[in-house]
Amino acid sequence: TQLLEQSPQFLSIQEGENLTVYCNSSSVFSSLQWYRQEPGEGPVLLVTVVTGGEVKKLKRLTFQFGDARKDSSLHITAAQPGDTGLYLCAGSFHPPGTYKYIFGTGTRLKVLA
Amino acid sequence: DSGVTQTPKHLITATGQRVTLRCSPRSGDLSVYWYQQSLDQGLQFLIQYYNGEERAKGNILERFSAQQFPDLHSELNLSSLELGDSALYFCASGRGNVLTFGAGSRLTVL
């Protein structure tokens, strides 16, 4: 059974602080996605990383895919209240004819003003 | 607007009843995935369709069934509802390694 473990599960920080969320698995993925979900809404894709060791930046968010394509991290610099939400990682793999996704357990972030 | 349309947005029903949730994928996407999200839980994969055919099954109960029609919209049928079925149900459409989620259908079973 493929599992994606995210840590921490909950994080409450002050505006302006930095944070890192981790996503770990024993499985190798073809690619890995990060989503943010706000209450009552569907998850929204933030980024997809494909190559081992890849680093992508989206404004104050930095995403890294592990060299072995088994883990990933999301680093937020100078967090703002608008960053509050549930962050989900999802590993995808590609059996013939389809794409399969495994979602992490989620990290619930609250940024206090 | 993600381009994935789910109806209804909210649904309140009683135990033992049956409901149907509907999803229209993004234009051009052939894959539809259904997920269940209970309060403070992650996303639980239920079932996937590709161009009308079932491709993968997750933790879907026997009381639940789904199908994808020739026009690519999909329906998730939930029957003999129990209190524990109260949850957000999301549909996502897929193209390559990109999943796009709808806004969800919130089901409350009383």
Side-chain angles (χ1 to χ4, degrees):
Chain A
T1 303
Q2 286 140 320
L3 291 172
L4 261 180
E5 294 186 2
Q6 281 185 242
S7 61
Q9 274 190 287
F10 301 95
L11 196 51
S12 181
I13 61 171
Q14 294 292 324
E15 182 176 4
E17 291 184 7
N18 301 332
L19 67 118
T20 302
V21 177
Y22 299 94
C23 177
N24 294 294
S25 174
S26 57
S27 301
V28 177
F29 294 106
S30 303
S31 64
L32 193 134
Q33 291 81 34
W34 284 93
Y35 295 81
R36 180 169 66 215
Q37 184 181 15
E38 300 193 18
E41 307 277 334
V44 175
L45 180 66
L46 297 174
V47 78
T48 298
V49 285
V50 178
T51 307
E54 182 177 0
V55 176
K56 278 192 174 177
K57 291 193 175 184
L58 185 67
K59 297 182 182 177
R60 293 175 294 100
L61 278 61
T62 302
F63 305 85
Q64 184 161 10
F65 201 11
D67 291 341
R69 305 206 320 275
K70 294 182 179 181
D71 54 84
S72 181
S73 63
L74 157 60
H75 182 78
I76 301 179
T77 303
Q80 298 177 0
D83 296 327
T84 293
L86 177 67
Y87 288 82
L88 294 161
C89 64
S92 70
F93 52 105
H94 186 23
T98 190
Y99 280 85
K100 289 193 163 187
Y101 297 86
I102 305 294
F103 275 84
T105 45
T107 294
R108 200 166 291 278
L109 171 65
K110 187 166 187 178
V111 182
L112 305 168
Chain B
D1 182 0
S2 68
V4 179
T5 304
Q6 286 191 250
T7 58
K9 194 162 175 62
H10 301 278
L11 192 53
I12 301 175
T13 189
T15 54
Q17 295 298 305
R18 172 190 169 95
V19 298
T20 297
L21 309 180
R22 183 188 167 105
C23 169
S24 293
R26 281 195 320 171
S27 177
D29 287 359
L30 301 180
S31 286
V32 169
Y33 300 75
W34 285 98
Y35 291 87
Q36 179 193 56
Q37 188 177 44
S38 302
L39 191 64
D40 289 338
Q41 298 285 316
L43 287 166
Q44 297 296 318
F45 170 63
L46 296 177
I47 197 163
Q48 178 205 354
Y49 283 84
Y50 178 83
N51 203 21
E53 292 186 3
E54 182 185 304
R55 279 297 172 94
K57 256 186 176 178
N59 300 322
I60 188 165
L61 300 171
E62 284 192 14
R63 300 183 285 110
F64 297 180
S65 64
Q67 59 185 121
Q68 186 180 27
F69 295 86
D71 67 352
L72 300 178
H73 92 271
S74 178
E75 292 181 356
L76 179 66
N77 301 296
L78 315 174
S79 61
S80 302
L81 285 167
E82 302 175 359
L83 296 177
D85 297 327
S86 295
L88 268 167
Y89 290 84
F90 288 104
C91 161
S93 73
R95 183 184 305 172
N97 64 0
V98 176
L99 268 186
T100 303
F101 282 84
S105 293
R106 182 176 292 280
L107 172 66
T108 302
V109 182
L110 300 175

Short mmCIF file of all heavy atoms in Angstrom, two decimals, chain A residues 47-90:
data_model
loop_
_atom_site.label_atom_id
_atom_site.label_comp_id
_atom_site.label_asym_id
_atom_site.label_seq_id
_atom_site.Cartn_x
_atom_site.Cartn_y
_atom_site.Cartn_z
N VAL A 47 1.50 23.53 -7.64
CA VAL A 47 2.68 23.23 -8.45
C VAL A 47 2.75 21.74 -8.72
O VAL A 47 2.20 20.93 -7.96
CB VAL A 47 3.95 23.70 -7.72
CG1 VAL A 47 4.33 22.71 -6.61
CG2 VAL A 47 5.13 23.89 -8.66
N THR A 48 3.41 21.38 -9.81
CA THR A 48 3.76 19.99 -10.10
C THR A 48 5.27 19.91 -10.28
O THR A 48 5.85 20.72 -11.01
CB THR A 48 3.08 19.51 -11.38
OG1 THR A 48 1.67 19.55 -11.22
CG2 THR A 48 3.49 18.08 -11.72
N VAL A 49 5.91 18.98 -9.59
CA VAL A 49 7.34 18.74 -9.78
C VAL A 49 7.52 17.34 -10.36
O VAL A 49 6.82 16.41 -9.96
CB VAL A 49 8.15 18.92 -8.48
CG1 VAL A 49 8.30 20.40 -8.16
CG2 VAL A 49 7.50 18.20 -7.31
N VAL A 50 8.44 17.24 -11.28
CA VAL A 50 8.57 16.02 -12.06
C VAL A 50 9.95 15.37 -11.95
O VAL A 50 10.07 14.15 -11.89
CB VAL A 50 8.26 16.31 -13.54
CG1 VAL A 50 8.42 15.07 -14.39
CG2 VAL A 50 6.85 16.85 -13.69
N THR A 51 10.98 16.20 -11.91
CA THR A 51 12.35 15.68 -11.96
C THR A 51 12.94 15.61 -10.56
O THR A 51 12.80 16.56 -9.77
CB THR A 51 13.21 16.61 -12.82
OG1 THR A 51 12.59 16.78 -14.09
CG2 THR A 51 14.60 16.03 -13.02
N GLY A 52 13.62 14.52 -10.24
CA GLY A 52 14.29 14.40 -8.96
C GLY A 52 15.24 15.56 -8.72
O GLY A 52 16.02 15.90 -9.61
N GLY A 53 15.15 16.18 -7.54
CA GLY A 53 15.99 17.32 -7.22
C GLY A 53 15.44 18.65 -7.70
O GLY A 53 16.02 19.70 -7.41
N GLU A 54 14.33 18.61 -8.39
CA GLU A 54 13.75 19.85 -8.96
C GLU A 54 13.30 20.80 -7.86
O GLU A 54 12.77 20.38 -6.84
CB GLU A 54 12.57 19.49 -9.85
CG GLU A 54 11.91 20.67 -10.54
CD GLU A 54 10.79 20.23 -11.48
OE1 GLU A 54 10.51 19.02 -11.57
OE2 GLU A 54 10.18 21.12 -12.10
N VAL A 55 13.55 22.07 -8.08
CA VAL A 55 13.09 23.13 -7.18
C VAL A 55 12.26 24.11 -7.99
O VAL A 55 12.69 24.56 -9.05
CB VAL A 55 14.27 23.87 -6.52
CG1 VAL A 55 13.76 25.03 -5.65
CG2 VAL A 55 15.11 22.92 -5.68
N LYS A 56 11.07 24.42 -7.48
CA LYS A 56 10.22 25.41 -8.15
C LYS A 56 9.82 26.47 -7.15
O LYS A 56 9.56 26.17 -5.98
CB LYS A 56 8.95 24.75 -8.73
CG LYS A 56 9.17 24.09 -10.07
CD LYS A 56 7.83 23.74 -10.71
CE LYS A 56 8.05 23.22 -12.12
NZ LYS A 56 6.79 22.79 -12.76
N LYS A 57 9.77 27.71 -7.63
CA LYS A 57 9.37 28.81 -6.75
C LYS A 57 8.11 29.46 -7.28
O LYS A 57 7.96 29.68 -8.48
CB LYS A 57 10.50 29.84 -6.65
CG LYS A 57 11.71 29.33 -5.90
CD LYS A 57 12.67 30.45 -5.54
CE LYS A 57 13.79 29.91 -4.67
NZ LYS A 57 14.70 30.94 -4.19
N LEU A 58 7.21 29.77 -6.34
CA LEU A 58 5.97 30.45 -6.66
C LEU A 58 5.84 31.57 -5.64
O LEU A 58 5.35 31.36 -4.54
CB LEU A 58 4.79 29.46 -6.57
CG LEU A 58 3.42 29.93 -6.97
CD1 LEU A 58 3.38 30.22 -8.46
CD2 LEU A 58 2.38 28.86 -6.63
N LYS A 59 6.35 32.74 -6.01
CA LYS A 59 6.38 33.90 -5.09
C LYS A 59 7.11 33.50 -3.81
O LYS A 59 8.30 33.21 -3.84
CB LYS A 59 4.98 34.43 -4.82
CG LYS A 59 4.30 34.96 -6.08
CD LYS A 59 2.93 35.53 -5.79
CE LYS A 59 2.28 36.00 -7.08
NZ LYS A 59 0.91 36.52 -6.86
N ARG A 60 6.43 33.46 -2.68
CA ARG A 60 7.09 33.16 -1.40
C ARG A 60 7.12 31.65 -1.10
O ARG A 60 7.60 31.25 -0.04
CB ARG A 60 6.35 33.89 -0.27
CG ARG A 60 6.46 35.42 -0.35
CD ARG A 60 5.61 36.09 0.74
NE ARG A 60 4.18 35.85 0.50
CZ ARG A 60 3.48 34.93 1.12
NH1 ARG A 60 4.04 34.16 2.05
NH2 ARG A 60 2.20 34.79 0.86
N LEU A 61 6.63 30.84 -2.01
CA LEU A 61 6.58 29.39 -1.80
C LEU A 61 7.68 28.73 -2.62
O LEU A 61 7.83 29.02 -3.81
CB LEU A 61 5.21 28.85 -2.24
CG LEU A 61 4.04 28.95 -1.26
CD1 LEU A 61 3.72 30.38 -0.88
CD2 LEU A 61 2.81 28.27 -1.83
N THR A 62 8.43 27.83 -1.98
CA THR A 62 9.47 27.08 -2.66
C THR A 62 9.17 25.59 -2.49
O THR A 62 9.00 25.12 -1.37
CB THR A 62 10.87 27.39 -2.09
OG1 THR A 62 11.11 28.79 -2.22
CG2 THR A 62 11.95 26.61 -2.84
N PHE A 63 9.13 24.89 -3.60
CA PHE A 63 8.81 23.46 -3.61
C PHE A 63 10.05 22.70 -4.07
O PHE A 63 10.72 23.10 -5.02
CB PHE A 63 7.66 23.18 -4.58
CG PHE A 63 6.43 23.98 -4.32
CD1 PHE A 63 6.29 25.26 -4.85
CD2 PHE A 63 5.41 23.47 -3.54
CE1 PHE A 63 5.15 26.01 -4.62
CE2 PHE A 63 4.26 24.21 -3.30
CZ PHE A 63 4.13 25.48 -3.84
N GLN A 64 10.30 21.57 -3.40
CA GLN A 64 11.45 20.75 -3.80
C GLN A 64 11.01 19.30 -3.89
O GLN A 64 10.28 18.80 -3.03
CB GLN A 64 12.58 20.89 -2.80
CG GLN A 64 13.83 20.13 -3.19
CD GLN A 64 15.07 20.62 -2.49
OE1 GLN A 64 14.99 21.43 -1.56
NE2 GLN A 64 16.22 20.17 -2.92
N PHE A 65 11.46 18.62 -4.93
CA PHE A 65 11.22 17.19 -5.12
C PHE A 65 12.51 16.48 -4.77
O PHE A 65 13.58 16.88 -5.23
CB PHE A 65 10.84 16.92 -6.57
CG PHE A 65 10.10 15.65 -6.83
CD1 PHE A 65 9.57 14.88 -5.81
CD2 PHE A 65 9.89 15.22 -8.13
CE1 PHE A 65 8.87 13.72 -6.06
CE2 PHE A 65 9.18 14.06 -8.40
CZ PHE A 65 8.67 13.31 -7.36
N GLY A 66 12.45 15.45 -3.94
CA GLY A 66 13.64 14.73 -3.53
C GLY A 66 14.36 14.08 -4.70
O GLY A 66 13.74 13.76 -5.72
N ASP A 67 15.66 13.89 -4.54
CA ASP A 67 16.47 13.30 -5.61
C ASP A 67 15.92 11.95 -6.06
O ASP A 67 15.96 11.62 -7.25
CB ASP A 67 17.92 13.13 -5.15
CG ASP A 67 18.62 14.46 -4.98
OD1 ASP A 67 18.14 15.47 -5.56
OD2 ASP A 67 19.64 14.51 -4.27
N ALA A 68 15.42 11.16 -5.11
CA ALA A 68 14.92 9.82 -5.41
C ALA A 68 13.44 9.82 -5.78
O ALA A 68 12.85 8.76 -6.00
CB ALA A 68 15.15 8.89 -4.22
N ARG A 69 12.84 10.98 -5.85
CA ARG A 69 11.42 11.16 -6.20
C ARG A 69 10.49 10.41 -5.22
O ARG A 69 9.46 9.87 -5.60
CB ARG A 69 11.14 10.74 -7.64
CG ARG A 69 12.01 11.44 -8.65
CD ARG A 69 11.41 11.55 -10.04
NE ARG A 69 10.71 10.39 -10.48
CZ ARG A 69 11.27 9.33 -11.07
NH1 ARG A 69 12.56 9.31 -11.27
NH2 ARG A 69 10.53 8.33 -11.47
N LYS A 70 10.90 10.40 -3.94
CA LYS A 70 10.06 9.77 -2.92
C LYS A 70 9.53 10.79 -1.91
O LYS A 70 8.67 10.46 -1.10
CB LYS A 70 10.86 8.73 -2.13
CG LYS A 70 11.31 7.53 -2.92
CD LYS A 70 12.06 6.56 -2.01
CE LYS A 70 12.52 5.34 -2.75
NZ LYS A 70 13.22 4.40 -1.85
N ASP A 71 10.07 12.00 -1.94
CA ASP A 71 9.67 12.96 -0.92
C ASP A 71 9.71 14.37 -1.50
O ASP A 71 10.31 14.62 -2.55
CB ASP A 71 10.59 12.87 0.30
CG ASP A 71 12.06 13.00 -0.08
OD1 ASP A 71 12.51 14.15 -0.21
OD2 ASP A 71 12.71 11.97 -0.29
N SER A 72 9.07 15.26 -0.77
CA SER A 72 9.01 16.64 -1.24
C SER A 72 8.85 17.56 -0.05
O SER A 72 8.45 17.13 1.04
CB SER A 72 7.83 16.82 -2.19
OG SER A 72 7.75 18.14 -2.68
N SER A 73 9.18 18.81 -0.25
CA SER A 73 8.98 19.80 0.80
C SER A 73 8.41 21.08 0.20
O SER A 73 8.61 21.38 -0.97
CB SER A 73 10.28 20.10 1.54
OG SER A 73 11.23 20.68 0.65
N LEU A 74 7.68 21.78 1.06
CA LEU A 74 7.13 23.09 0.71
C LEU A 74 7.60 24.07 1.77
O LEU A 74 7.34 23.86 2.95
CB LEU A 74 5.60 23.00 0.70
CG LEU A 74 4.80 24.31 0.89
CD1 LEU A 74 5.11 25.31 -0.20
CD2 LEU A 74 3.31 24.01 0.94
N HIS A 75 8.30 25.10 1.34
CA HIS A 75 8.80 26.11 2.27
C HIS A 75 8.09 27.44 1.97
O HIS A 75 8.04 27.85 0.80
CB HIS A 75 10.31 26.28 2.11
CG HIS A 75 10.91 27.26 3.06
ND1 HIS A 75 11.16 26.98 4.38
CD2 HIS A 75 11.28 28.56 2.88
CE1 HIS A 75 11.68 28.04 4.97
NE2 HIS A 75 11.75 29.02 4.09
N ILE A 76 7.55 28.04 3.01
CA ILE A 76 6.90 29.34 2.85
C ILE A 76 7.74 30.38 3.60
O ILE A 76 8.01 30.20 4.80
CB ILE A 76 5.45 29.34 3.36
CG1 ILE A 76 4.63 28.31 2.60
CG2 ILE A 76 4.83 30.74 3.20
CD1 ILE A 76 3.17 28.22 3.05
N THR A 77 8.11 31.42 2.92
CA THR A 77 8.87 32.51 3.51
C THR A 77 7.93 33.65 3.88
O THR A 77 7.04 34.00 3.10
CB THR A 77 9.91 33.03 2.50
OG1 THR A 77 10.75 31.94 2.10
CG2 THR A 77 10.77 34.13 3.11
N ALA A 78 8.14 34.19 5.06
CA ALA A 78 7.35 35.36 5.52
C ALA A 78 5.85 35.10 5.34
O ALA A 78 5.16 35.80 4.58
CB ALA A 78 7.78 36.62 4.78
N ALA A 79 5.36 34.09 6.05
CA ALA A 79 3.97 33.69 5.90
C ALA A 79 2.99 34.84 6.17
O ALA A 79 3.26 35.72 7.01
CB ALA A 79 3.66 32.53 6.84
N GLN A 80 1.89 34.82 5.44
CA GLN A 80 0.85 35.83 5.58
C GLN A 80 -0.48 35.15 5.91
O GLN A 80 -0.66 33.97 5.59
CB GLN A 80 0.72 36.63 4.28
CG GLN A 80 1.99 37.38 3.92
CD GLN A 80 1.90 38.11 2.61
OE1 GLN A 80 0.87 38.08 1.93
NE2 GLN A 80 2.98 38.76 2.23
N PRO A 81 -1.41 35.88 6.52
CA PRO A 81 -2.72 35.27 6.85
C PRO A 81 -3.39 34.62 5.64
O PRO A 81 -4.09 33.61 5.78
CB PRO A 81 -3.53 36.45 7.39
CG PRO A 81 -2.49 37.34 8.01
CD PRO A 81 -1.29 37.23 7.09
N GLY A 82 -3.16 35.15 4.46
CA GLY A 82 -3.74 34.57 3.25
C GLY A 82 -3.19 33.20 2.89
O GLY A 82 -3.74 32.51 2.03
N ASP A 83 -2.11 32.79 3.55
CA ASP A 83 -1.55 31.46 3.32
C ASP A 83 -2.29 30.39 4.13
O ASP A 83 -2.05 29.20 3.95
CB ASP A 83 -0.06 31.42 3.71
CG ASP A 83 0.79 32.34 2.85
OD1 ASP A 83 0.48 32.50 1.64
OD2 ASP A 83 1.78 32.91 3.37
N THR A 84 -3.16 30.80 5.01
CA THR A 84 -3.92 29.87 5.85
C THR A 84 -4.70 28.90 4.98
O THR A 84 -5.33 29.30 3.99
CB THR A 84 -4.87 30.64 6.77
OG1 THR A 84 -4.08 31.39 7.71
CG2 THR A 84 -5.79 29.70 7.53
N GLY A 85 -4.65 27.62 5.34
CA GLY A 85 -5.41 26.62 4.59
C GLY A 85 -4.86 25.24 4.85
O GLY A 85 -3.94 25.05 5.66
N LEU A 86 -5.42 24.27 4.15
CA LEU A 86 -4.96 22.88 4.22
C LEU A 86 -4.06 22.63 3.02
O LEU A 86 -4.48 22.83 1.88
CB LEU A 86 -6.17 21.94 4.20
CG LEU A 86 -5.86 20.44 4.19
CD1 LEU A 86 -5.22 20.02 5.51
CD2 LEU A 86 -7.14 19.63 3.96
N TYR A 87 -2.85 22.21 3.27
CA TYR A 87 -1.89 21.92 2.21
C TYR A 87 -1.81 20.40 2.03
O TYR A 87 -1.57 19.67 2.99
CB TYR A 87 -0.52 22.51 2.53
CG TYR A 87 -0.52 24.01 2.40
CD1 TYR A 87 -1.00 24.80 3.44
CD2 TYR A 87 -0.07 24.64 1.24
CE1 TYR A 87 -1.04 26.18 3.31
CE2 TYR A 87 -0.11 26.02 1.11
CZ TYR A 87 -0.61 26.79 2.15
OH TYR A 87 -0.66 28.15 2.02
N LEU A 88 -2.00 19.98 0.80
CA LEU A 88 -2.01 18.56 0.47
C LEU A 88 -0.95 18.27 -0.58
O LEU A 88 -0.85 18.99 -1.58
CB LEU A 88 -3.37 18.15 -0.09
CG LEU A 88 -4.57 18.22 0.85
CD1 LEU A 88 -5.86 18.25 0.06
CD2 LEU A 88 -4.56 17.05 1.80
N CYS A 89 -0.17 17.22 -0.34
CA CYS A 89 0.71 16.76 -1.41
C CYS A 89 0.06 15.53 -2.03
O CYS A 89 -0.74 14.84 -1.39
CB CYS A 89 2.10 16.45 -0.90
SG CYS A 89 2.21 15.11 0.30
N ALA A 90 0.37 15.28 -3.27
CA ALA A 90 -0.18 14.12 -3.98
C ALA A 90 0.90 13.57 -4.91
O ALA A 90 1.43 14.31 -5.74
CB ALA A 90 -1.42 14.50 -4.77
#
